[in-house]
Amino acid sequence: MANIDTAHLIYLIVLLAMLAGWFFLQNRPSMNKTLQQAAVWGLIFTGAAAGVGLWQDISRDSARQQISVTEQGQIILPRSRDGHYYLTARVNDTPVRFVVDTGATDIVLTKSDAARIGIDPEGLDYLGRAGTANGETRTAYVRLDEVVVGDAVDRDVPAVVNDGIMSQSLLGMGYLQRWGRIEISQGELRLTR
């Protein structure tokens, strides 16, 4: 609906008002029933308009959420609606969803993701410090047995567990540098070894 210009919109509103006026004048004797029918048709029209307006967003998101792996092993990530790139990697044989973050130095795990891959976050020594958008937070250095992205398998990968509140684990430059080429173009992030 964003492509409809103002003149067309005004024309459609006037036309709709004229049709509604004619409808009410024709059905004046049974106004109660007419109002009920108008309300039902109004709800149907609103639902249809919402469906048409949201269809592009729904179809784009469902089609673009998938990671692609080419025959050469290149990973292609579509940009999500929020402008970030998300990648699900298998860490210690457990799927973990990451935000690709070139501003992060390392792989940064949330406490919950660390626990899911077999690391006890309460038993870690949080000796490191990291500056984040929310201020300084404590971190604990860990090593991941295995990180699998597409066909690429990396073993003994350094990472940190964040002691602060974090909604999503980050895939930072410490891991991304293992790829020979990182390219962002046309709404896609491509990782090539």
Side-chain angles (χ1 to χ4, degrees):
M1 293 185 81
N3 296 335
I4 297 175
D5 62 8
T6 306
H8 284 107
L9 188 59
I10 291 171
Y11 171 76
L12 289 173
I13 291 171
V14 169
L15 182 62
L16 183 61
M18 289 174 54
L19 286 172
W22 173 81
F23 183 74
F24 283 118
L25 287 176
Q26 290 296 318
N27 297 305
R28 205 174 25 190
S30 58
M31 193 56 85
N32 226 7
K33 188 170 185 166
T34 303
L35 288 175
Q36 287 176 349
Q37 290 174 348
V40 168
W41 279 107
L43 289 173
I44 290 170
F45 176 76
T46 303
V52 168
L54 294 174
W55 180 251
Q56 289 178 343
D57 290 339
I58 293 167
S59 61
R60 180 184 64 222
D61 284 350
S62 64
R64 292 185 54 100
Q65 290 300 328
Q66 304 301 320
I67 179 176
S68 301
V69 181
T70 65
E71 290 180 14
Q72 296 81 19
Q74 183 183 55
I75 307 296
I76 303 171
L77 304 172
R79 183 175 51 222
S80 71
R81 286 183 64 200
D82 64 3
H84 294 288
Y85 295 93
Y86 295 93
L87 181 141
T88 299
R90 293 195 67 77
V91 179
N92 297 350
D93 207 32
T94 303
V96 177
R97 187 168 189 240
F98 290 96
V99 175
V100 177
D101 186 352
T102 57
T105 305
D106 299 306
I107 290 178
V108 182
L109 296 169
T110 64
K111 284 184 170 183
S112 61
D113 283 341
R116 286 188 327 105
I117 64 170
I119 297 171
D120 176 19
E122 302 309 320
L124 296 174
D125 293 324
Y126 293 92
L127 303 175
R129 298 265 183 235
T132 70
N134 296 328
E136 190 173 86
T137 185
R138 299 182 322 151
T139 60
Y141 179 79
V142 296
R143 295 201 74 82
L144 308 175
D145 295 334
E146 184 177 81
V147 177
V148 179
V149 175
D151 296 333
V153 179
D154 293 297
R155 298 189 195 303
D156 197 32
V157 179
V160 296
V161 176
N162 186 341
D163 187 39
I165 297 172
M166 200 167 99
S167 62
Q168 189 83 47
S169 291
L170 307 176
L171 198 63
M173 290 305 294
Y175 176 77
L176 294 173
Q177 288 175 352
R178 293 172 178 255
W179 295 81
R181 183 176 181 164
I182 303 168
E183 177 185 357
I184 299 174
S185 66
Q186 299 176 353
E188 293 180 335
L189 183 138
R190 296 171 181 264
L191 299 172
T192 308
R193 284 228 166 150

